[in-house]
Each structure stands twice: as C-alpha cells, then as structure tokens.
Amino acid sequence: MASQTQIRSFDAPGIYLILVQGALREDAPYLDDLTITAQYSEQGAPVTLLSGTLTDQAALMGVLTALYNRGITVLAVNRVASA
C-alpha cells in the first residue's frame, strides 16, 4: 500500500519563513506585515528572517517580487503550516 502524502492548498493562508541575505529595515511596507528578525549566518554574515501569514501563493509571489525588485537575495522559502 502506497503511503499517503499530505496535500497542501496554496490558495489558502499559510505561515511562511523567508530567509534573505543582509539586514532589512523593520519598516519596509512591501513586506505585507511580516515579522522581521535580524540574524547572522553560520559564517557570521547578516541575514534577515521574515515570518508570518500570507493569504495565498499570489501574496507570496508579491513579497518575493518586491524583494527581487530591490536586489535582495532570497536564501530560502519555507511554508511551515496552514494558517
């Protein structure tokens, strides 16, 4: 019997973690009310963790596009749970 995998719906709200290179300002309006946490990588370089709920995959793409348009390098994107 094949194992069942959990099917995720990307057209519903989800909780995301987005790791970017560098330090971001905490008042960036293009981040859709995500929590901004400054951190350091294992190599000691500054990175920023963005976390919070996004309404759907289109909202995620909006955040990623805003980061791209500002030349910010995205290191990782992880959907950790449904909201």
Side-chain angles (χ1 to χ4, degrees), residues 1 9 11 15 17 26-27 32 35 37-38 51 57 61 64 67 69 72 78 81:
M1 183 173 173
S9 175
D11 60 349
I15 300 171
L17 301 176
E26 292 186 19
D27 62 345
D32 284 345
T35 300
T37 307
S51 59
Q57 196 166 20
M61 289 308 301
L64 295 176
L67 293 169
N69 288 341
I72 298 169
N78 191 14

Side-chain angles (χ1 to χ4, degrees), residues 6 9 15-16 19 25 27-28 32 34 41-42 44 55 59 62 68-69 73 82:
Q6 181 180 359
S9 175
I15 300 171
Y16 288 86
L19 186 66
R25 292 184 5 205
D27 62 345
D32 284 345
L34 295 173
S41 69
E42 293 176 3
T55 56
Y68 175 81
N69 288 341
T73 301
S82 296

Side-chain angles (χ1 to χ4, degrees), residues 39-55:
Q39 300 179 340
Y40 290 93
S41 69
E42 293 176 3
Q43 295 78 24
V47 294
T48 302
L49 179 65
L50 309 173
S51 59
T53 301
L54 295 172
T55 56

Side-chain angles (χ1 to χ4, degrees), residues 4-31:
Q4 295 181 2
T5 59
Q6 181 180 359
I7 298 174
R8 295 185 177 175
S9 175
F10 292 100
D11 60 349
I15 300 171
Y16 288 86
L17 301 176
I18 304 170
L19 186 66
V20 300
Q21 188 173 2
L24 298 185
R25 292 184 5 205
E26 292 186 19
D27 62 345
Y30 57 90
L31 294 178

